[in-house]
Amino acid sequence: MEDVKEGQSYELVITNASGLFRYRIGDIVKVVGFHNQCPVVEFQYRRGQMLSVRGEKVSEALFLDSLKKAVSQWPGAQLIDYCCAESGIMGDSIGGSDPHYQVFIELKGVRNLTEEQRYKLDICLQQNSAVYKSFRIKGSIGPMRVQLVAAGAFKELRKHMMAFSNTSPNTFKMHRVLRRKEYADFLLGKTVS
């Protein structure tokens, strides 16, 4: 801990006196300052929660920043929750064969999204990620497909995921990148726009 530097990101690894040695919990944190000699950290993303349909590797933090920028441009919209899936896991659930991101969002204050609003998220991600933008320009990655889900859809998904994995509510962390088709299909069934 004494070697960490402000502005740098680190993966948390836990060791304790009762036999838990070098346990990787998967959280990436950024040191944003110090309180006396103790680092003050800010959660960045979960390891393995990267979007990548062509090797572009968009982190959870980068995607969330782009999503917040897009939502701020949608009048009256307030982001409640979100997650994404790579088109490869979707199979026949959706149309089109070009690799893309399937984005599920729950908003407050909005009942419907226009095509222009949906495309704004893609534009914001292109502005934040030169690699994503280059793949979009080349046509290697198609435009993301944004689905507005019903209020409470993510609470229901959490319950479903916790029941399936026997995880307690205290330790469960919502997946921002869905890796299982049944979870994506669950949210597709909750789509309102």
Side-chain angles (χ1 to χ4, degrees):
M1 292 280 289
E2 66 274 359
D3 294 333
V4 299
K5 293 182 174 60
E6 189 170 344
Q8 297 295 313
S9 294
Y10 301 92
E11 179 181 4
L12 291 181
V13 178
I14 296 176
T15 297
N16 67 19
S18 55
L20 186 63
F21 296 101
R22 294 180 306 278
Y23 180 73
R24 298 172 77 175
I25 59 174
D27 288 343
I28 306 297
V29 296
K30 180 178 182 180
V31 177
V32 295
F34 289 88
H35 178 74
N36 295 326
Q37 293 180 334
C38 183
V40 176
V41 298
E42 180 180 272
F43 175 78
Q44 295 295 299
Y45 59 90
R46 297 262 312 147
R47 188 175 162 91
Q49 291 290 291
M50 298 270 196
L51 285 167
S52 182
V53 293
R54 289 280 191 207
E56 70 282 6
K57 296 188 178 179
V58 172
S59 73
E60 178 182 333
L62 182 67
F63 185 85
L64 180 58
D65 182 57
S66 301
L67 179 58
K68 285 179 178 178
K69 283 181 185 173
V71 171
S72 72
Q73 298 174 41
W74 300 341
Q78 179 184 355
L79 181 65
I80 302 299
D81 213 340
Y82 79 98
C83 67
C84 306
E86 296 164 356
S87 60
I89 71 155
M90 302 299 291
D92 296 331
S93 300
I94 55 169
S97 59
D98 55 333
H100 61 274
Y101 303 160
Q102 185 75 33
V103 182
F104 301 98
I105 56 176
E106 182 178 334
L107 298 172
K108 185 177 180 180
V110 173
R111 291 185 179 182
N112 194 7
L113 290 176
T114 66
E115 287 306 312
E116 184 180 327
Q117 287 172 314
R118 293 172 205 267
Y119 190 63
K120 190 56 149 170
L121 175 54
D122 196 83
I123 295 299
C124 288
L125 185 56
Q126 288 183 48
Q127 291 169 346
N128 284 350
S129 171
V131 175
Y132 178 76
K133 182 177 184 173
S134 73
F135 279 106
R136 287 286 291 118
I137 290 170
K138 290 184 237 175
S140 298
I141 297 177
M144 60 180 79
R145 297 187 173 90
V146 181
Q147 307 293 326
L148 180 62
V149 298
F154 283 94
K155 285 183 182 178
E156 291 179 45
L157 179 61
R158 275 188 192 87
K159 287 178 188 175
H160 181 72
M161 293 170 100
M162 284 188 292
F164 185 75
S165 64
N166 289 325
T167 305
S168 80
N170 296 336
T171 59
F172 179 79
K173 290 185 180 177
M174 185 61 186
H175 301 241
R176 296 299 173 201
V177 178
L178 300 178
R179 302 282 181 210
R180 299 181 70 140
K181 183 179 184 327
E182 70 243 30
Y183 298 152
D185 286 342
F186 179 88
L187 287 175
L188 273 177
K190 301 292 183 182
T191 298
V192 294
S193 168

